[in-house]
Amino acid sequence: MLREYRPLMKEWFEAGRQDEHYDTLVAKKYLMRIDADGFIEPSKKYTNPDMSLVFIGGSTTECRYIDEEHRFPYLVGVLLEQQTGIKINSYNAARSGNHSLNSLDILLNKVFPIKPDIVVMLENINDLTILLYESSYWNRDSSRSVIFDINKEMDANYFKLIRDRYIPNLAMAMRNFDSSLRLLWKSKKKSRDEFAHIRGKHVVYDESAMVEQFEMNLQSFIYLCKARNIIPVIMTMPSRFKEKPDKIILDAFNNPPLDYFQFKQIFDLFNKSILKKAQENNIMVIDLSKEIPQENEFMYDIVHYTDKGARKVADIISGRLQPVVSTRIKQRSLQVH
């Protein structure tokens, strides 16, 4: 299951319909364009760049509800070009819902073929959620499983698959029309809940086992990049998980299995694992959780950035990467001469 958006997709996502626990999200439509290789546009600016970067992760890297030229993966490339004077392609290979094993799949089968210089990974909350609810990355959840049965998919969704494959623009119009009708009729039908089988129930979880599985994926990411002479960079995930939380954030945890402080504790442990793995492997870590203020002007819900938040993230990342990029270019120049 290569969790990516359909290549050449062009779709408007409307914010403010289904999102409930947010306070500074600008409710409007946001354009999502996907290039022929499945990367979020803008992506490949140059046919022969001096440097290529790739960002992998989930919705916090995807930045769906931010105007496309303000999404931090693209903006980092723009800022680095200004700082270094070289041509840079900065690719966004994220997909909402992707955890670190999905990102490893993306890395192997989608990122390696374009031979980037640097790959930056931002993961945490999706790993926490899948391990909390399913105990393993390898599970039978229909939307989060890493393996699926194509025969069952064809039997259940044959018309939709054919429609999306051969008439994608009409398919998009049909989906939008259906969504508009449901909104107009104020349908009480709830959107699909991928964790409905466990929602509201008490969950028995092994905190140390969850951390161990997450750390194994971080280690795999580092090894795989180094094996391909790619510079791996990992980042901690900023959030609004405060000791004294904002009410709107606390309200998001009014339905067990975990209360706010239990969830926060594991989230913080996962960020500590990111710092730990970077230190053990002597690679760059960008501690966004420390540098992004835990306020609604930077994140409109628990972890997703506002426009101002994405800009601050891009400023931090580009500042940290600039010396690495300059060194890489100098090394390449010496090899040529």
Side-chain angles (χ1 to χ4, degrees):
M1 176 74 78
L2 188 69
R3 293 193 81 253
E4 65 172 1
Y5 285 109
R6 175 173 49 81
L8 300 179
M9 183 191 88
K10 180 180 179 181
E11 192 160 344
W12 292 88
F13 288 97
E14 186 165 358
R17 283 188 175 185
Q18 297 177 346
D19 304 82
E20 297 178 355
H21 301 286
Y22 63 85
D23 47 14
T24 49
L25 174 64
V26 178
K28 66 173 189 177
K29 290 183 178 181
Y30 295 84
L31 179 63
M32 179 74 73
R33 295 183 300 126
I34 308 299
D35 71 13
D37 297 312
F39 296 103
I40 297 173
E41 294 274 25
S43 55
K44 189 177 180 179
K45 295 167 61 177
Y46 306 104
T47 302
N48 296 301
D50 299 308
M51 176 76 60
S52 291
L53 319 174
V54 178
F55 291 83
I56 55 177
S59 57
T60 55
T61 302
E62 175 191 278
C63 298
R64 177 183 297 182
Y65 295 138
I66 294 176
D67 292 325
E68 60 180 11
E69 292 192 353
H70 294 174
R71 291 170 183 146
F72 80 80
Y74 171 74
L75 199 51
V76 167
V78 172
L79 294 174
L80 283 172
E81 282 193 338
Q82 295 172 357
Q83 294 164 5
T84 62
I86 64 174
K87 295 183 292 185
I88 297 177
N89 283 342
S90 187
Y91 296 88
N92 188 343
R95 167 72 191 269
S96 179
N98 277 3
H99 49 60
S100 61
L101 189 61
N102 297 133
S103 287
L104 289 174
D105 191 9
I106 294 287
L107 179 72
L108 283 165
N109 296 296
K110 179 172 167 178
V111 174
F112 282 168
I114 66 173
K115 300 178 180 179
D117 296 275
I118 301 170
V119 177
V120 184
M121 184 166 77
L122 175 60
E123 294 283 13
N124 181 325
I125 200 166
N126 289 334
D127 291 78
L128 191 167
T129 303
I130 199 69
L131 293 173
L132 177 65
Y133 286 124
E134 301 290 349
S135 300
S136 172
Y137 293 104
W138 292 270
N139 57 76
R140 296 186 179 183
D141 185 285
S142 59
S143 68
R144 298 295 179 96
S145 176
V146 292
I147 299 172
F148 74 101
D149 186 335
I150 187 64
N151 295 306
K152 290 182 180 179
E153 188 76 10
M154 289 291 290
D155 289 343
N157 300 291
Y158 180 78
F159 172 73
K160 289 182 179 180
L161 290 169
I162 296 299
R163 181 193 68 183
D164 291 349
R165 173 68 178 84
Y166 293 103
I167 49 172
N169 293 329
L170 179 59
M172 181 180 69
M174 292 172 69
R175 287 195 299 271
N176 291 339
F177 178 69
D178 178 65
S179 177
S180 298
L181 280 181
R182 283 188 279 110
L183 183 65
L184 178 64
W185 294 339
K186 297 181 179 179
S187 171
K188 295 183 180 180
K189 180 181 178 181
K190 294 182 180 179
S191 59
R192 181 184 176 278
D193 183 355
E194 58 192 314
F195 299 118
H197 62 291
I198 200 70
R199 192 79 68 187
K201 299 178 182 178
H202 176 68
V203 171
V204 177
Y205 62 95
D206 186 333
E207 189 176 276
S208 61
M210 292 169 64
V211 170
E212 182 181 25
Q213 289 194 66
F214 181 55
E215 288 186 359
M216 285 191 286
N217 281 358
L218 293 174
Q219 190 65 59
S220 296
F221 168 72
I222 295 165
Y223 280 153
L224 287 168
C225 286
K226 287 187 173 182
R228 297 271 175 164
N229 194 31
I230 294 169
I231 298 171
V233 178
I234 52 180
M235 304 195 295
T236 59
M237 184 172 287
S239 74
R240 289 170 65 182
F241 282 122
K242 303 176 185 179
E243 291 300 326
K244 294 182 179 180
D246 299 327
K247 183 180 183 303
I248 197 164
I249 302 301
L250 191 60
D251 286 346
F253 291 85
N254 59 8
N255 190 17
L258 291 189
D259 66 27
Y260 172 87
F261 292 101
Q262 289 174 313
F263 198 96
K264 177 184 182 302
Q265 177 178 319
I266 305 175
F267 183 90
D268 291 343
L269 283 176
F270 275 33
N271 272 342
K272 288 179 181 178
S273 289
I274 293 166
L275 296 171
K276 171 188 169 186
K277 281 296 167 183
Q279 183 178 26
E280 288 178 354
N281 291 274
N282 193 29
I283 66 163
M284 176 179 288
V285 60
I286 301 175
D287 194 0
L288 293 179
S289 66
K290 183 178 180 180
E291 299 197 51
I292 302 298
Q294 295 181 296
E295 305 300 333
N296 62 8
E297 63 181 298
F298 298 98
M299 287 169 279
Y300 61 77
D301 62 6
I302 297 171
V303 293
H304 296 100
Y305 314 118
T306 61
D307 192 281
K308 183 176 181 178
R311 175 66 195 218
K312 187 168 181 64
V313 168
D315 286 338
I316 292 168
I317 297 172
S318 61
R320 290 294 306 281
L321 290 185
Q322 190 273 326
V324 179
V325 169
S326 297
T327 299
R328 186 88 162 187
I329 291 296
K330 289 179 182 177
Q331 291 173 342
R332 190 172 297 161
S333 177
L334 290 173
Q335 290 172 356
V336 171
H337 296 292

